């Protein structure tokens, strides 16, 4: 089966062609970071309009690179949620229209299931069951993954997602958007022990997260050390970035180790934009090695939103027999545990 994947949940336009026998044939991504950077975050209306402009050229380019004719496409998988309603509608209407014109199936895919399955695109994919850490600008969740569609959320953020906290901390330090890479770059020149930021909710049982208090602590630290420019000096900014990043990644690593011990699994899968953070990868590998577990994650280009993960996830569900009626239906909010489990999936 050959599937065209379309991702338009937020500020990246992703297109890919995946073949169930040959693997990923081609993928392309257009990031809107430059469009939204001056606003310090995503402007939904601008995101939707940009998807309209970029989708068709990206589809044509990806089909050409994969040497795929429209008649070779067996189905189109698109992101149906969660995400920005306008952006989701652009991708869904586009995908459904193409499917109608080409006479093929179309299937709406859960965005976070796409992230969860992205490491399956690697040469050595993880095997079920495992614990998944989904960590991005909009989500921070720990998921008990027993099989395709068989999910149980065992921990999640009660307020800000980790990626959102990175964005807000970066804005406090007058860094560029998105905040995760900016904080990580500045932290490289930070002093290790100058500041000690709190590790939220690690001193109590459970697997939930909270980053709003850490955000407030960062804001107060910046205010306490500001100069006449309104910001701390350069070294202090780097030290704050180091302390903030260390607090976030240590909190995530502690909860992940706790989830592995609680479930008895030996595998952690990490996905989402924050999973590209080098320090987080290092710390997770160190912590999980102590309990005989290993961590899997996607290559960097598949950590952020992309069409490849949507094409792959859609292909697995289509192969397992899932289908949908023709109407366009998107879900800006969509609990992943509502997805139907598929016992006869090909994974």
């Amino acid at each position: 089966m050959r599937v065209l994947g379309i991702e338009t949940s937020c500020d990246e336009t992703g297109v890919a062609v995946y073949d169930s026998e040959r693997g990923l044939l081609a993928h392309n991504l257009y990031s809107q970071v430059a469009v939204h950077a001056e606003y310090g975050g995503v402007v939904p209306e601008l995101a939707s309009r940009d998807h309209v402009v970029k989708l068709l050229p990206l589809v044509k380019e990806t089909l050409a690179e994969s040497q795929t004719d429209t008649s070779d496409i067996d189905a189109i998988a698109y992101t149906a949620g969660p995400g920005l309603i306008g952006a989701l509608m652009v991708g869904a209407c586009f995908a459904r229209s193409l499917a109608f014109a080409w006479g093929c199936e179309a299937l709406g895919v859960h965005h976070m299931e796409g992230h969860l399955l992205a490491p399956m695109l690697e040469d050595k994919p993880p095997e079920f069951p495992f614990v998944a850490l989904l960590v991005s600008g909009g989500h921070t969740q720990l998921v008990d993954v027993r099989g395709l569609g068989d999910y149980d959320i065992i921990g999640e953020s009660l307020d800000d997602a980790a990626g959102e906290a990175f964005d807000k901390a970066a804005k406090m330090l007058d860094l560029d958007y998105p905040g995760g890479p900016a904080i990580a770059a500045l932290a490289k020149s930070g002093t290790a022990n100058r500041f000690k930021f709190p590790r939220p909710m690690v001193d109590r049982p459970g697997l939930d997260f909270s980053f709003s208090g850490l955000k407030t602590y960062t804001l107060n630290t910046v205010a306490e050390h500001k100069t006449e420019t309104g910001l701390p000096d350069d070294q202090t900014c780097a030290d704050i970035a180091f302390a903030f990043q260390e607090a976030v990644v240590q909190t995530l690593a502690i909860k992940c180790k706790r989830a592995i011990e609680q479930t008895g699994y030996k595998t952690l899968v990490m996905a989402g934009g924050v999973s590209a953070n080098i320090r987080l990868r290092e710390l997770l590998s160190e912590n999980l090695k102590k309990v005989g577990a290993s961590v899997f994650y996607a290559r960097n280009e598949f950590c952020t939103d992309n069409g490849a993960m949507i094409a792959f996830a859609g292909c697995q569900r289509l192969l397992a027999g899932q289908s949908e009626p023709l109407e366009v239906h998107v879900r800006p909010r969509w609990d992943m545990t509502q997805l139907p489990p598929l016992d006869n999936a090909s994974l």
Side-chain angles (χ1 to χ4, degrees):
M1 175 177 284
R2 189 166 294 191
V3 178
L4 175 69
I6 293 174
E7 156 61 24
T8 63
S9 66
C10 191
D11 60 341
E12 272 109 7
T13 310
V15 177
V17 174
Y18 179 83
D19 189 283
S20 58
E21 295 183 358
R22 296 174 54 194
L24 184 63
L25 302 183
H27 69 96
N28 284 287
L29 181 71
Y30 175 78
S31 175
Q32 301 177 6
V33 166
V35 175
H36 304 286
E38 64 178 295
Y39 304 101
V42 177
V43 181
E45 179 64 22
L46 294 181
S48 302
R49 293 182 182 186
D50 211 45
H51 288 310
V52 173
V53 174
K54 298 299 190 303
L55 256 177
L56 186 57
L58 277 180
V59 167
K60 289 181 177 179
E61 182 180 354
T62 307
L63 290 176
E65 289 180 3
S66 64
Q67 298 182 338
T68 298
D69 188 80
T70 57
S71 60
D72 298 325
I73 296 294
D74 298 299
I76 301 174
Y78 63 93
T79 302
L84 302 175
I85 180 64
L88 291 171
M89 285 297 295
V90 171
C93 291
F94 183 85
R96 287 289 178 186
S97 299
L98 279 188
F100 183 80
W102 294 351
C104 65
E105 290 189 74
L107 182 71
V109 172
H110 194 290
H111 177 75
M112 297 312 294
E113 182 174 61
H115 274 304
L116 187 151
L117 297 178
M120 301 286 186
L121 289 163
E122 302 305 316
D123 293 334
K124 295 182 178 180
E127 296 181 357
F128 299 118
F130 54 77
V131 172
L133 171 66
L134 303 180
V135 57
S136 65
H139 296 82
T140 302
Q141 297 177 331
L142 282 166
V143 187
D144 182 345
V145 181
R146 293 175 289 271
L148 182 60
D150 190 2
Y151 310 131
D152 183 23
I153 296 175
I154 55 178
E156 60 186 333
S157 179
L158 304 178
D159 38 63
D160 292 355
E164 183 182 5
F166 268 109
D167 288 339
K168 291 178 178 177
K171 192 170 184 179
M172 296 174 199
L173 296 171
D174 198 28
L175 301 176
D176 292 336
Y177 172 85
I183 290 282
L186 183 59
K188 290 179 180 179
S189 55
T191 305
N193 298 313
R194 181 177 175 187
F195 296 110
K196 177 70 172 181
F197 281 22
R199 277 60 172 157
M201 298 183 69
V202 299
D203 58 348
R204 66 185 74 176
L207 298 172
D208 287 334
F209 304 91
S210 173
F211 295 105
S212 62
L214 179 59
K215 176 188 64 180
T216 302
Y217 192 95
T218 305
L219 181 64
N220 291 338
T221 304
V222 171
E224 289 170 6
H225 294 83
K226 68 179 181 181
T227 64
E228 58 270 11
T229 66
L231 287 171
D233 61 74
D234 291 346
Q235 186 57 54
T236 301
C237 284
D239 295 343
I240 291 172
F242 182 95
F244 175 83
Q245 176 178 252
E246 201 68 10
V248 173
V249 300
Q250 285 194 15
T251 299
L252 292 171
I254 289 168
K255 293 300 181 84
C256 285
K257 181 173 176 285
R258 190 177 295 177
I260 287 291
E261 292 172 333
Q262 178 176 305
T263 60
Y265 298 158
K266 295 300 181 183
T267 302
L268 176 82
V269 168
M270 180 171 61
V274 181
S275 69
N277 184 283
I278 299 299
R279 177 58 182 150
L280 177 57
R281 293 187 177 192
E282 292 174 348
L283 199 57
L284 276 175
S285 294
E286 292 172 9
N287 280 17
L288 295 182
K289 189 176 181 181
K290 297 174 183 176
V291 292
S294 55
V295 57
F296 290 78
Y297 37 76
R299 70 195 79 165
N300 282 357
E301 60 188 321
F302 295 154
C303 289
T304 55
D305 297 349
N306 63 87
M309 69 182 192
I310 301 303
F312 179 80
C315 185
Q316 306 314 309
R317 288 193 166 271
L318 288 160
L319 287 172
Q322 185 173 334
S323 61
E324 287 181 344
L326 290 176
E327 68 261 19
V328 174
H329 183 58
V330 297
R331 301 181 182 182
R333 295 182 180 275
W334 191 2
D335 186 344
M336 196 166 64
T337 61
Q338 296 174 352
L339 292 172
L342 301 174
D343 295 333
N344 58 334
S346 62
L347 287 177

